[in-house]
Amino acid sequence: MSIVRLRGVSKVFRSGETDLTVLRGIDLELSEGEVVSISGSSGSGKSTLLNLMGGLDRPTGGEIHAFDYAVHSLNEADLTEFRARRLGFVFQFHFLLKDFTALENVMLPAYMIGMSRKEATGRAERLLTEVGLSERLDHYPSQLSGGERQRAALARALINEPGLLLADEPTGNLDAENSALVESVLLEVVRAHGATLVIVTHDERLARLGDRRLRLERGALTRGTVEDR
């Protein structure tokens, strides 16, 4: 079942008197539970496409539908609800709050949408255990390795049981050993939760691990760049 549909999506940024076209007429459908990677050279529009799917930016043209939301036309209040209840984000930088423990960082998004502290804490503990951090619940980000911080960020992204997880260069800041561990945990945990995962990455190994691989060049998905495994 298709849960995300993009039709004719374009994005143009204005720089002074110049228009910079980043995305050109993107058509894309994502199925429930699918893992899709998007690769391409720097400046090809990968992160922009991810931001548009997540409602972090608005398209210049076209339509984006996710679940029962017309993302391209939502007001700010509805966008906030959409992101909080339907989406999970994992970025290249973990963005954990330095004065909060791993457990507190993970439970915070659930607590903020009205979940009881007890339920949010229990859910956060289970997720941190799933990503291999059961012994790090009370550790602060400064006490965690880079790979551990990124795994905590993954647990946080899943706390509200999103149907769609967007990961932008999730291993881009990690060494080879931690990259391999985060890749393994990311795919295993996301599949266990049945979420659809879209990964933007320069990592060729990670790009090959999904169910479907897309490539963006010059803002377009061109014929022959979609590689189904």
Side-chain angles (χ1 to χ4, degrees):
M1 181 179 70
S2 176
I3 63 167
V4 179
R5 299 175 303 282
L6 282 69
R7 293 288 180 267
V9 170
S10 63
K11 182 63 180 180
V12 179
F13 292 101
R14 177 166 287 275
S15 178
E17 296 300 315
T18 304
D19 286 342
L20 176 63
T21 301
V22 179
L23 294 175
R24 309 168 187 271
I26 299 293
D27 293 327
L28 179 62
E29 290 198 15
L30 302 173
S31 299
E32 185 176 6
E34 186 178 22
V35 176
V36 176
S37 70
I38 301 175
S39 57
S41 58
S42 295
S44 60
K46 303 183 302 298
S47 294
T48 298
L49 180 57
L50 211 66
N51 289 341
L52 293 177
M53 281 192 273
L56 297 177
D57 200 357
R58 295 184 184 273
T60 305
E63 298 183 353
I64 302 171
H65 296 270
F67 307 100
D68 51 351
Y69 293 88
V71 178
H72 58 282
S73 62
L74 293 178
N75 60 36
E76 288 303 319
D78 289 337
L79 273 174
T80 297
E81 179 185 346
F82 166 65
R83 290 192 294 260
R85 297 185 179 275
R86 291 291 199 169
L87 292 183
F89 291 94
V90 180
F91 299 100
Q92 181 174 351
F93 300 99
H94 54 80
F95 296 119
L96 298 176
L97 300 174
K98 65 185 177 97
D99 295 326
F100 287 69
T101 64
L103 180 64
E104 291 167 339
N105 267 286
V106 173
M107 66 177 285
L108 188 59
Y111 193 58
M112 290 179 66
I113 65 168
M115 191 178 296
S116 71
R117 185 177 184 88
K118 180 179 180 181
E119 184 179 356
T121 300
R123 187 176 290 186
E125 288 176 346
R126 290 191 295 273
L127 280 166
L128 285 165
T129 297
E130 285 187 54
V131 300
L133 295 178
S134 60
E135 304 299 320
R136 297 287 190 270
L137 302 184
D138 296 325
H139 285 60
Y140 291 90
S142 62
Q143 298 172 306
L144 302 174
S145 70
E148 288 171 338
R149 288 194 290 267
Q150 199 65 330
R151 281 183 279 152
L154 170 58
R156 179 184 58 189
L158 290 168
I159 188 70
N160 288 336
E161 299 182 340
L164 177 63
L165 186 70
L166 304 176
D168 193 352
E169 298 286 1
T171 60
N173 257 2
L174 304 177
D175 58 30
E177 182 179 354
N178 275 305
S179 290
L181 179 57
V182 169
E183 289 167 10
S184 174
V185 170
L186 174 64
L187 292 172
E188 180 181 342
V189 172
V190 168
R191 288 192 189 281
H193 284 261
T196 296
L197 171 63
V198 182
I199 310 168
V200 160
T201 182
H202 282 100
D203 184 336
E204 281 297 310
R205 181 176 63 179
L206 179 56
R208 290 193 297 267
L209 293 178
D211 304 312
R212 184 155 53 110
R213 180 176 180 180
L214 311 179
R215 186 167 180 84
L216 262 174
E217 289 296 345
R218 297 187 179 92
L221 291 172
T222 59
R223 187 170 60 182
T225 61
V226 179
E227 302 167 26
D228 290 309
R229 294 184 64 198

